[in-house]
Amino acid sequence: MDSKPLVSEYFAKLPSSPDAFPFFYRRLVGLRFPIEVAEILEMRYLCHHAIDQSGRDDREYEWDEFAASRMADMEHVGIQKPAHRERLSRLLLLLKDYYGLHKTGSAVAEDELRQGLADNRFAQERSRSYGKIAGIAAIVAALSSILLSPPAILMQGVAILFAYLSLDSFYGIAVLRREERRLAAQLSEVLRRRVRTVNWRAVVRQTGAILGYTTPMGGEAFRLEQEHELPDLIEVNGA
């Protein structure tokens, strides 16, 4: 049994959390029909609600730039009715908006993480330089405390202080390296999740099938639970 969240669950998150777009998109294009009727009905409700809420916001200019290819996609998957095309086009514009928000957020996150890595590497180099300087100063102070006659207690204290600063600097490098690995892992995750391009034909095919505007590749959009049909028939025939 598939334990992944349903495509409707991801779709419901998009208005408040556009960073769910990669999960929704990959789940949608990877959807295999037939699926449970409850999922079809939930997804249809969410889609129609989103379309109705979007209204007409004078965005025909955006649709004009986006339309030719999408209309060709609708023609390819067999969506013919003008009313279906009009509603699906408004849904596609919404998905285009969510995709744009995802791309923008992903790019901002990438820039912040790359800047964090650059700052981290600079801090490592600075700590390394401070550690070396403090280490050399500790050696000089220690030698001075030995060579001076009588031994200079002050120089011994200075040697201990510089030795501590040197060790602290090198310990700081170890901490920064752990932080660098954490930032690198976050950057890899951002890049892994990013949807670089959208297969709009697949989106048109899948959303059209979910909305009942076209027949999915599997032949049926949904499957019905049938385990209760036989007892019902027996009861009717017995009556």
Side-chain angles (χ1 to χ4, degrees), residues 2-189:
D2 192 351
S3 60
K4 294 180 180 178
L6 300 173
V7 66
S8 59
E9 293 179 27
Y10 287 129
F11 186 79
K13 294 177 182 177
L14 287 176
S16 59
S17 181
D19 56 353
F21 182 84
F23 305 100
F24 162 76
Y25 170 72
R26 292 187 176 102
R27 190 72 169 141
L28 176 68
V29 297
L31 200 59
R32 293 293 178 265
F33 293 93
I35 61 178
E36 300 297 335
V37 65
E39 171 64 357
I40 283 279
L41 294 177
E42 178 67 13
M43 193 63 194
R44 284 183 184 177
Y45 167 77
L46 291 171
C47 286
H48 286 304
H49 180 72
I51 293 168
D52 293 337
Q53 289 292 107
S54 68
R56 295 183 175 275
D57 52 2
D58 299 325
R59 299 178 66 189
E60 285 80 3
Y61 68 95
E62 288 189 37
W63 178 245
D64 288 341
E65 296 176 359
F66 191 56
S69 296
R70 303 296 76 79
M71 287 300 179
D73 292 338
M74 292 184 200
E75 183 74 26
H76 178 80
V77 302
I79 300 174
Q80 301 295 337
K81 292 184 177 180
H84 290 172
R85 290 190 175 196
E86 193 272 338
R87 287 188 70 78
L88 184 55
S89 70
R90 288 162 63 186
L91 177 62
L92 293 174
L93 266 183
L94 283 174
L95 295 181
K96 181 172 177 284
D97 286 344
Y98 293 137
Y99 173 54
L101 291 172
H102 157 66
K103 279 207 316 183
T104 300
S106 179
V108 169
E110 180 185 0
D111 289 344
E112 290 177 349
L113 288 167
R114 290 192 184 281
Q115 184 60 51
L117 284 168
D119 293 342
N120 181 283
R121 294 183 186 115
F122 176 78
Q124 286 189 49
E125 290 299 320
R126 185 175 57 187
S127 292
R128 189 174 291 108
S129 298
Y130 287 168
K132 289 178 180 178
I133 292 171
I136 293 171
I139 293 172
V140 171
L143 290 174
S144 298
S145 67
I146 293 171
L147 295 176
L148 288 176
S149 182
I153 296 177
L154 178 60
M155 293 305 294
Q156 291 175 354
V158 171
I160 293 172
L161 174 62
F162 278 121
Y164 168 80
L165 292 174
S166 178
L167 290 172
D168 185 64
S169 295
F170 285 112
Y171 174 76
I173 292 174
V175 174
L176 287 168
R177 282 177 177 168
R178 287 198 296 270
E179 177 67 9
E180 180 184 22
R181 288 192 293 270
R182 186 184 69 82
L183 292 172
Q186 289 183 349
L187 177 59
S188 296
E189 183 66 10

